[in-house]
Amino acid sequence: MKFDIIGEIRGYMDYFEFYGIPESFNVEPAKLKKKFYELSKLYHPDFYAGEDEAKQQEILELSTLNNKAYQVLNDPARRMEYILKLHDLVSEGAKPQLPADFLMEMMDINERLMEVDNATELASITAEVLAFEADINESLNKLTADYTQLDHTAQEQRRIKIANIYYRQKYLLRIKESLDTFAARL
């Protein structure tokens, strides 16, 4: 199987296709690791030391691609972001339209956080944020559980909902970073 290394460098390589596995938000770690090791052996540069320079460069690029694909697909958060980017649902610097109720709750948390003056108040806000995060993660798990069994149209609709959760998670991450900053001050 020949892959377009230039396409991969420009962001077009499908890591799932490279590994010969279906696109999924939930990849079986043992199978992924097995495929990684299989391709690591196949594309190990030392086995091609006697080849011409072009072949050595191709193998080096395939070895690098294998490492990069494994790093992304092995990490659930990076895998989710990767799938959403593959389908042009997230991009750097995007300004997503988050639901007004979510934004109001986050604004309320931020305002209370700015007024925190003791560890008890901070602990209460932290617990609230963690509960919010748990709810989001539960919704995400439900949306991704049967993704591979859906038809293309249903997968597309599901990815849109997952992108919404992705942006909520990003927002929550900023709040959690603020919580850490305030915790260090108290």
Side-chain angles (χ1 to χ4, degrees), residues 73-98:
L73 296 181
N74 194 45
D75 180 284
R78 289 179 71 185
R79 182 174 52 242
M80 177 174 64
E81 181 177 40
Y82 174 75
I83 291 170
L84 296 175
K85 282 183 177 180
L86 268 180
H87 296 281
D88 294 322
L89 291 170
V90 300
S91 60
E92 300 299 320
K95 301 282 186 196
Q97 293 288 16
L98 293 170

Side-chain angles (χ1 to χ4, degrees), residues 16-170:
F16 293 102
E17 180 182 329
F18 182 70
Y19 272 9
I21 60 176
E23 178 180 289
S24 176
F25 290 93
N26 301 308
V27 175
E28 192 174 319
K31 284 185 179 179
L32 185 65
K33 186 177 262 187
K34 182 180 177 185
K35 189 66 175 181
F36 169 72
Y37 285 132
E38 178 185 313
L39 292 177
S40 292
K41 290 176 188 174
L42 181 64
Y43 298 131
H44 197 286
D46 289 349
F47 297 134
Y48 297 87
E51 297 287 336
D52 64 35
E53 193 172 321
K55 182 67 172 180
Q56 287 182 24
Q57 184 61 34
E58 177 186 355
I59 293 302
L60 182 61
E61 289 171 352
L62 287 167
S63 177
T64 301
L65 175 59
N66 183 41
N67 288 322
K68 191 173 172 184
Y70 182 74
Q71 290 171 358
V72 169
L73 296 181
N74 194 45
D75 180 284
R78 289 179 71 185
R79 182 174 52 242
M80 177 174 64
E81 181 177 40
Y82 174 75
I83 291 170
L84 296 175
K85 282 183 177 180
L86 268 180
H87 296 281
D88 294 322
L89 291 170
V90 300
S91 60
E92 300 299 320
K95 301 282 186 196
Q97 293 288 16
L98 293 170
D101 60 336
F102 174 80
L103 292 173
M104 291 300 288
E105 288 182 65
M106 294 302 106
M107 188 170 21
D108 177 56
I109 288 171
N110 270 324
E111 287 174 3
R112 287 186 291 135
L113 189 56
M114 295 299 165
E115 297 171 2
V116 164
D117 58 5
N118 65 57
T120 304
E121 289 175 7
L122 183 63
S124 174
I125 294 171
T126 300
E128 186 178 342
V129 169
L130 292 176
F132 216 102
E133 183 179 43
D135 289 346
I136 287 175
N137 288 338
E138 183 180 336
S139 295
L140 179 62
N141 290 337
K142 287 178 183 175
L143 289 171
T144 60
D146 62 347
Y147 177 81
T148 57
Q149 285 80 43
L150 301 173
D151 64 35
H152 291 295
T153 303
Q155 283 181 342
E156 184 177 332
Q157 293 168 349
R158 192 67 64 87
R159 284 190 302 266
I160 291 168
K161 292 176 182 177
I162 292 168
N164 183 290
I165 288 175
Y166 168 83
Y167 283 117
R168 288 178 190 219
Q169 286 177 325
K170 289 285 193 194

